[in-house]
Amino acid sequence: QVQLVESGGGLVQAGGSLRLSCAASGRTFSSYAMGWFRQAPGKEREFVSAISWDRGATYYADSVKGRFTISRANAKNTVYLQMNSLKPEDAAIYYCAAAPSSRYDVPQYDYWGQGTQVAVSS
């Protein structure tokens, strides 16, 4: 099993920045990809960003391209999400997820953290 712990959430003014961290642990941790998702009140959970663990290829939702940057620290099994130019619509609970494998080229996110809240004041 894999445990994921997010940190770094908080309150920030519109236009400000935050960096989220996600630490993964487990007896035999391995991951095809790790990603970030978010869920705002009354809305469905949506994809934000992901990074492949082998090559470090990155992927972003159109809504955050140019503002958010995902990165990884392999030795520490940690993934980061640098969020710049934050907007009120970015406010949500942000969840870290790990995909041990893929199915038909789609990452299977089987492990999820408890989430960290990001609030953006306007």
Side-chain angles (χ1 to χ4, degrees):
Q1 294 184 336
V2 174
Q3 295 81 45
L4 304 176
V5 180
E6 305 101 328
S7 62
L11 173 64
V12 65
Q13 291 184 335
S17 299
L18 283 174
R19 190 184 75 161
L20 306 183
S21 299
C22 175
S25 62
R27 289 188 178 184
T28 57
F29 175 78
S30 64
S31 182
Y32 171 80
M34 294 185 67
W36 290 95
F37 296 75
R38 67 187 183 188
Q39 187 170 24
K43 300 182 66 176
E44 294 185 356
R45 186 175 299 178
E46 65 176 346
F47 170 79
V48 176
S49 184
I51 185 167
S52 67
W53 211 250
D54 56 348
R55 304 297 184 184
T58 58
Y59 308 86
Y60 299 94
D62 288 341
S63 59
V64 305
K65 284 183 178 178
R67 300 188 298 119
F68 291 11
T69 303
I70 191 170
S71 61
R72 56 171 165 81
N74 297 42
K76 297 189 291 185
N77 293 323
T78 302
V79 65
Y80 305 95
L81 185 68
Q82 178 67 46
M83 306 185 295
N84 297 328
S85 302
L86 283 162
K87 305 175 180 179
E89 50 263 45
D90 294 318
I93 298 176
Y94 282 71
Y95 297 91
C96 177
S101 62
S102 66
R103 182 176 293 109
Y104 302 109
D105 296 322
V106 178
Q108 303 299 297
Y109 291 102
D110 294 330
Y111 302 97
W112 295 81
Q114 293 299 304
T116 185
Q117 188 163 24
V118 172
V120 183
S121 61
S122 60

